[in-house]
Amino acid sequence: MKSSMPTGNDSPRVDVHSLEIDTISVELSGNWKLEMEVPSADAVRSKIEAMPQCRAIVFDTRNLTGWDSSLVAFMKNVYEFCATRNIERVPDGLPQGVVRLLALATAVPEKKDAKREKIRGPFLKIIGEESIKLGRSTLEMIEFVGEASVAFTRLIIGKARFRRVDFINILQDSGVGALPIVSLISVLVGLILAFVGAVQLRMFGAQIYVADLVGLGMAREMGAMMTAVIMAGRTGAAFAAQLGTMQVNEEIDALRTLGISPMEFLVMPRMIALALMMPLLCLYADLMGIFGGAVVGIGMLGLTPAEYYTETVLSISLGDFGAGIIKAVIFGVLVALSGCLRGIQCGRSASAVGDATTSAVVTSIVFIIVSDSLLTVIYDIMGF
């Protein structure tokens, strides 16, 4: 009994016939290349199905003139079908290259549940796991703050080790480099505050108090808040990406091997630079916000520059600027700590760097909002 699939001259061909009662021979001939019309494994499958007593299959490739991955794919289909029937495959007649490729293709079978969606556990179990993760994250954060405090103490006594040129570069990037975006956002915030106030104050003919609203809002709250949010998305994320990339490249491990503290060498310069630049950026944001309010007050409400200036000076004191500056310093430290913490905690893959960057921004903004709320309550209690 013999079945075959003839094609053209030197075209790939498969001939299947029985050698014994329980053995099938598969003869492969011709040029088995992708550009040729390669036969399917149906001829072999139908022959095996027609011989229920088949227990072995052998191959003959003496007339094979060439092959590529198309032959490997054909043989893999034959192997898989034989495996379902518990038929022994004798690869002696196959080219050694095909045998090795088949071994690689069948070495690690695909998991049957690889594409199955993850099954969620019980609700209480999920809450417990998340609570444990939150507790561990809190402990890591406390430990990181403690190490930062130790590094800051060593800086004060002159024992901290870091490169001054790195500190200067970070100082410049965190300060002068942030001026354009801080300018734009602060002017727009001042414009928005003035518009919001003008809608209500114009009803009572009290447009002059737009200067009070914008001045106090920027000096005590919005100047520091908006600057901190900008720096969280700009500089805090950059810190996380830089340290995360160093973690992936094992540069932080190399520093530890050399006896250099990553906290002193990497975290401390960033934290000090941002704590120094944030008050200056806050003052600059206050002035730009007041300027934005003046554009609305003078251009739309009919106030003169002298009136707006005088009302602003009378409504704002140095204490109001001081309250905003104190917030700015604290926000700067929190943004730097959040960015460096997530960078140090980063895994060792490209996706982990992205996750660390995202987490740094989210953590920074949460800390900014929480600390601002606490400081506002403290100011009210102190009458500041």
Side-chain angles (χ1 to χ4, degrees):
M1 181 176 178
K2 186 175 182 180
S3 61
S4 62
M5 289 186 60
T7 52
N9 294 331
D10 203 33
S11 297
R13 178 187 179 93
V14 54
D15 296 307
V16 185
H17 59 87
S18 55
L19 291 179
E20 300 176 2
I21 298 178
D22 60 349
T23 303
I24 291 178
S25 174
V26 177
E27 296 182 7
L28 302 174
S29 59
N31 187 17
W32 285 68
K33 294 293 183 69
L34 290 173
E35 61 269 15
M36 308 296 289
E37 186 179 352
V38 179
S40 68
D42 292 338
V44 180
R45 186 179 296 112
S46 59
K47 181 64 176 179
I48 294 175
E49 291 175 347
M51 292 182 59
Q53 72 277 18
C54 180
R55 292 292 177 267
I57 183 171
V58 297
F59 303 95
D60 183 359
T61 58
R62 288 174 295 180
N63 296 322
L64 192 67
T65 59
W67 62 274
D68 58 12
S69 58
S70 60
L71 178 59
V72 179
F74 173 87
M75 291 303 306
K76 187 174 184 294
N77 292 332
V78 174
Y79 267 41
E80 290 175 349
F81 184 75
C82 291
T84 61
R85 297 296 185 94
N86 294 322
I87 297 175
E88 181 185 0
R89 296 149 293 181
V90 182
D92 295 344
L94 294 173
Q96 289 300 314
V98 175
V99 175
R100 288 194 295 268
L101 290 174
L102 285 173
L104 288 175
T106 58
V108 183
E110 181 182 1
K111 290 180 63 177
K112 295 181 180 180
D113 59 346
K115 299 180 181 179
R116 190 168 59 190
E117 294 184 359
K118 183 179 180 180
I119 301 177
R120 296 178 64 87
F123 180 69
L124 292 179
K125 179 182 178 182
I126 296 174
I127 294 178
E129 291 176 349
E130 294 300 324
S131 300
I132 293 174
K133 290 180 182 178
L134 179 61
R136 291 175 179 172
S137 178
T138 303
L139 291 177
E140 291 177 356
M141 193 173 300
I142 294 174
E143 181 181 0
F144 187 83
V145 172
E147 292 178 355
S149 301
V150 173
F152 183 71
T153 303
R154 289 178 58 83
L155 176 67
I156 294 176
I157 62 179
K159 292 186 177 181
R161 291 189 295 174
F162 61 89
R163 296 202 307 172
R164 302 298 186 269
V165 64
D166 291 341
F167 175 71
I168 297 299
N169 291 335
I170 297 170
L171 203 66
Q172 180 178 357
D173 182 69
S174 303
V176 178
L179 287 179
I181 185 65
V182 172
S183 302
L184 175 63
I185 299 300
S186 299
V187 170
L188 293 178
V189 169
L191 289 170
I192 293 170
L193 288 176
F195 271 119
V196 172
V199 171
Q200 298 298 322
L201 294 175
R202 203 159 36 184
M203 297 172 59
F204 304 98
Q207 298 94 320
I208 188 65
Y209 294 108
V210 167
D212 300 62
L213 174 65
V214 175
L216 287 173
M218 292 300 301
R220 295 189 65 91
E221 191 66 40
M222 297 305 296
M225 172 75 72
M226 295 309 301
T227 302
V229 172
I230 293 169
M231 298 306 288
R234 180 187 180 277
T235 306
F239 289 171
Q242 291 166 1
L243 298 187
T245 304
M246 295 180 71
Q247 190 74 268
V248 172
N249 295 335
E250 299 183 355
E251 296 176 43
I252 295 179
D253 294 338
L255 289 176
R256 292 194 179 101
T257 302
L258 294 173
I260 300 174
S261 171
M263 190 65 62
E264 297 178 9
F265 194 81
L266 300 175
V267 176
M268 188 55 53
R270 288 168 170 79
M271 187 173 67
I272 299 300
L274 206 53
L276 291 176
M277 287 295 102
M278 275 294 293
L280 300 178
L281 290 173
C282 176
L283 283 174
Y284 179 75
D286 294 343
L287 296 177
M288 296 305 295
I290 293 172
F291 171 76
V295 172
V296 175
I298 297 171
M300 299 184 61
L301 302 180
L303 301 176
T304 64
E307 289 175 338
Y308 194 92
Y309 172 78
T310 302
E311 189 64 26
T312 300
V313 172
L314 292 176
S315 63
I316 307 176
S317 65
L318 290 178
D320 297 322
F321 283 108
I325 290 174
I326 293 173
K327 288 184 178 181
V329 174
I330 296 175
F331 293 164
V333 173
L334 291 176
V335 169
L337 285 176
S338 299
C340 294
L341 171 64
R342 298 311 181 193
I344 294 293
Q345 290 178 338
C346 178
R348 300 186 184 275
S349 65
S351 61
V353 176
D355 294 339
T357 304
T358 302
S359 180
V361 176
V362 174
T363 304
S364 300
I365 293 177
V366 170
F367 283 169
I368 289 168
I369 301 300
V370 172
S371 61
D372 182 69
S373 303
L374 294 176
L375 288 171
T376 302
V377 173
I378 293 173
Y379 287 170
D380 183 67
I381 294 174
M382 297 175 58
F384 184 37

